Amino acid sequence: MQVEGFEFPEDRYYLKNHVWLKEHNHKIRIGITDLGQSLSKEIVHIDLPEKKEYIDSGDTIVAYETIKAVSQITLPFDCKVSDVNEVLWEDPNKINEDCYGEWMVEVELAEIAQIKDLCMDVQSAATYYRELIKKERERYVGYDITT
Amino acid sequence: MKRIANYKNIDIISNSCNKFTFFKSPYAAHKTFSAVDIYYNSNIAPSPVWGEIIDIREYNTPTPVKNNNSKEYLIAIKQGDYVVRIMHIKPGVEIGEKVHVGDRLGEFIRNGYFCFWNDLCMHVECRDKNDYIRASNNKRLNFDIGEIKNSMENNEFFEGEVIQTRKNYALISADYATDGKINGFAINGYFLDGFIPLNQDYYLNYYGIISKDYCSTLENNNIEMQIYSGNQSISALGLAFSLSFNIARPLIKIIPLQYGEYFLKERDIIKIKINLKW
C-alpha cells in the first residue's frame, strides 16, 4: 500500500515511530519504514543489541545515526534478541537502499500474538501516516525550500 | 569579530552583528550543548575558525516528500587534533585549502533540515579528528555567558511591538536582558534559546535555557506560554528566541500556524507571558 508515495507493505505491522515488524519463523523481525528511512537519509552508524539480550518495553533496542541526527527504536513489549543483521555493522546505509529487505533485529516474544494488539496493521498505519504527512505539508503550502 | 563559544583552544568566531543559537534545532549536537547555529545577514558564509579543509561531503537531507531530495554539505576543518564540522553551506573551498577566520567558505543553502521559519545559518560543532561523520560523539562547547541583568520573572509580560511581518514569521522588538556582552530574552535569570511551541502537544520542541553557571534543554511541559495582541489571545505555532552580541538588538520571532498566514501587522502591540516550570 502506498501513502503519499511511500510504500507500506501489507505483510507486516507498524508502530508510530516509523518501525515495521514482520513475523519470521515464529520470531519478529524489525526494521524502519520507507518514510522512516526518508526522514533519516544516509544512515552512517548503527548500534545493535547483543544476541540473547533481554530488552524491556520502552527501552532502546536499536540506535541509528545519520550525519546530523540520532534516532532510537523502542518497542511496546518485552522481548529477547534472537538475531541481529550483522551486514549493517559494515554498511548501515543498506537500510536506506532497501528498508523492507534489510531488517535490523530479530526478537522473541513471550506471546507472539500480542503484536496484533500492540501494533498497527497496514490500514491503520496508512491512516496514521497519511494524516501525519498531510498535517505537516499543510503548514508548508507555498513554501519554497530554495528561497 | 567576537568569540561565541570554544572547545579547548578552538574559538568559534563570528561577526559581532550576527545572532546565534545553541538550542534552535532538534539535532543531536544541540541536545548535548555541542553545536551553535550562526545567522548572517548575507548569502556569503565566512569561516568561523582557522584551519585546513580536510573533507567535504555532499549528502541528502531528510524529507517527508518521496524523492524530493535536497542536498546538504559537510565541511570539515582540521585544527590540531580536532575537526570543526560545518553544515548548511555550499562549499566554495577545496580539500587541502587553509582558511582563516572570516575567509569565504561558500554560500548558505536551505534544505530538508530547515523549518519554514528558519533563516539561513551555519551549523558549527567540534569533533575528534578521526570521528566527525556520525551525529553523536560531539564535544561540549564552553559558552561565554555572564551575569544576566534585566531578566523577567515568571508570569511577567514581555511587551513589544511588531516591527516586521513576513510569510514565515513576525518579528517583535521588546525589552531584553543582557550580560553586558550578549543580549537575549531572559526569564528567572536564564536566557531563552530556541523554538518553543505554543501548543504543548506539538511534536517539535527544541529549546533550552542558559545562564552563567547552567544550561539545559527543556521539554514542552516545562513551560507555559500565552501570546496576546492587545487584549486578544492569539494562536501561533510558537516563539523562537536567539542570542546576539551587545551591539545588536535581539528580537522575538512569532511563528504562524502555517507558512503564509499573516496573523499580525506591523505596530501591533504584543504581550507574551511565560511561566517557566523548572
Side-chain angles (χ1 to χ4, degrees):
Chain A
M1 179 175 290
Q2 286 223 335
V3 176
E4 304 290 343
F6 294 101
E7 197 61 44
F8 284 80
E10 294 174 21
D11 61 354
R12 56 198 81 197
Y13 291 91
Y14 297 90
L15 296 172
K16 291 181 178 177
N17 55 358
H18 304 289
V19 167
W20 59 256
L21 307 92
K22 186 181 179 190
E23 197 173 334
H24 180 81
N25 293 337
H26 306 293
K27 292 169 185 163
I28 302 291
R29 284 189 166 175
I30 289 157
I32 59 168
T33 64
D34 191 13
L35 174 59
Q37 72 78 25
S38 186
L39 294 171
S40 294
K41 287 279 178 71
E42 316 259 354
I43 296 173
V44 293
H45 180 87
I46 189 163
D47 287 324
L48 297 168
E50 298 285 331
K51 288 180 194 174
K52 299 183 183 172
E53 192 176 341
Y54 286 90
I55 307 288
D56 288 340
S57 163
D59 283 356
T60 300
I61 186 167
V62 174
Y64 56 97
E65 297 183 26
T66 63
I67 288 179
K68 210 174 174 201
V70 179
S71 302
Q72 290 162 336
I73 293 180
T74 59
L75 300 173
F77 46 76
D78 298 343
C79 62
K80 180 185 171 187
V81 177
S82 54
D83 203 0
V84 298
N85 186 355
E86 291 176 354
V87 170
L88 300 178
W89 290 119
E90 284 299 309
D91 186 6
N93 194 234
K94 280 187 180 295
I95 297 163
N96 297 103
E97 292 162 10
D98 182 12
C99 64
Y100 293 116
E102 295 295 349
W103 51 280
M104 293 172 162
V105 62
E106 186 181 81
V107 300
E108 295 171 32
L109 285 73
E111 207 175 326
I112 202 163
Q114 66 179 319
I115 71 163
K116 289 178 187 161
D117 301 325
L118 296 171
C119 306
M120 298 182 286
D121 63 17
V122 71
Q123 288 290 352
S124 306
T127 304
Y128 171 76
Y129 282 112
R130 187 175 292 115
E131 195 56 34
L132 191 74
I133 294 170
K134 190 176 147 217
K135 223 182 236 180
E136 271 314 286
R137 285 192 185 164
E138 279 172 359
R139 293 195 195 286
Y140 284 76
V141 168
Y143 173 70
D144 180 355
I145 204 168
T146 60
T147 58
Chain B
M1 304 290 266
K2 291 191 174 179
R3 183 171 79 174
I4 290 178
N6 71 294
Y7 174 70
K8 293 192 173 175
N9 291 328
I10 301 173
D11 290 331
I12 299 171
I13 306 286
S14 146
N15 185 304
S16 28
C17 302
N18 297 326
K19 58 181 182 168
F20 50 94
T21 165
F22 297 106
F23 300 120
K24 201 161 68 183
S25 167
Y27 292 101
H30 290 280
K31 292 178 180 169
T32 54
F33 322 118
S34 305
V36 59
D37 286 348
I38 311 172
Y39 298 80
Y40 292 78
N41 296 315
S42 159
N43 287 334
I44 304 300
S47 182
V49 294
W50 61 265
E52 180 185 352
I53 313 281
I54 59 158
D55 198 2
I56 293 172
R57 288 173 189 237
E58 178 184 303
Y59 64 99
N60 292 315
T61 65
T63 172
V65 180
K66 184 74 179 175
N67 297 327
N68 187 16
N69 291 337
S70 60
K71 295 293 177 195
E72 176 61 277
Y73 303 87
L74 182 153
I75 301 174
I77 303 177
K78 183 170 168 289
Q79 201 184 102
D81 289 334
Y82 299 99
V83 159
V84 178
R85 64 176 213 166
I86 300 176
M87 285 179 255
H88 311 330
I89 296 168
K90 186 173 185 183
V93 287
E94 292 182 356
I95 293 172
E97 269 186 56
K98 291 190 168 62
V99 291
H100 297 96
V101 172
D103 284 356
R104 183 181 183 278
L105 279 184
E107 289 185 17
F108 287 112
I109 53 169
R110 191 186 297 278
N111 55 38
Y113 286 127
F114 285 68
C115 297
F116 70 75
W117 59 90
N118 293 147
D119 295 320
L120 295 172
C121 67
M122 69 169 71
H123 169 99
V124 184
E125 55 183 286
C126 297
R127 302 290 294 264
D128 280 326
K129 66 181 178 189
N130 298 319
D131 179 19
Y132 60 86
I133 301 299
R134 61 188 285 195
S136 63
N137 290 352
N138 27 60
K139 304 294 185 189
R140 183 173 174 147
L141 298 175
N142 296 309
F143 311 131
D144 293 333
I145 304 284
E147 206 68 52
I148 297 169
K149 298 186 179 79
N150 204 26
S151 168
M152 304 293 272
E153 298 298 322
N154 268 355
N155 295 319
E156 284 187 306
F157 283 97
F158 291 95
E159 186 166 337
E161 182 181 331
V162 178
I163 60 163
Q164 193 183 113
T165 59
R166 304 166 54 162
K167 284 185 173 180
N168 42 1
Y169 54 75
L171 287 174
I172 313 300
S173 175
D175 284 344
Y176 54 87
T178 184
D179 71 351
K181 295 176 298 183
I182 291 172
N183 298 336
F185 294 91
I187 189 145
N188 300 347
Y190 300 100
F191 281 130
L192 295 164
D193 181 359
F195 168 71
I196 310 174
L198 194 56
N199 179 349
Q200 292 193 353
D201 295 330
Y202 190 54
Y203 74 100
L204 286 178
N205 74 300
Y206 27 95
Y207 68 98
I209 52 173
I210 185 167
S211 70
K212 183 181 177 189
D213 306 313
Y214 188 79
C215 64
S216 175
T217 55
L218 296 177
E219 300 295 326
N220 282 359
N221 59 9
N222 290 131
I223 210 159
E224 281 175 352
M225 203 164 66
Q226 285 99 38
I227 309 173
Y228 300 91
S229 176
N231 293 322
Q232 193 82 30
S233 172
I234 60 169
S235 294
L237 197 62
L239 301 179
F241 294 93
S242 57
L243 304 171
S244 58
F245 288 116
N246 63 355
I247 63 166
R249 185 178 185 85
L251 300 167
I252 303 171
K253 272 186 191 175
I254 303 187
I255 298 150
L257 289 169
Q258 63 184 65
Y259 177 80
E261 179 193 6
Y262 285 102
F263 63 131
L264 294 170
K265 55 185 191 305
E266 287 177 19
R267 297 187 185 168
D268 280 354
I269 299 299
I270 301 296
K271 289 201 282 188
I272 299 166
K273 187 163 80 171
I274 294 177
N275 182 16
L276 192 60
K277 297 189 292 181
W278 172 88

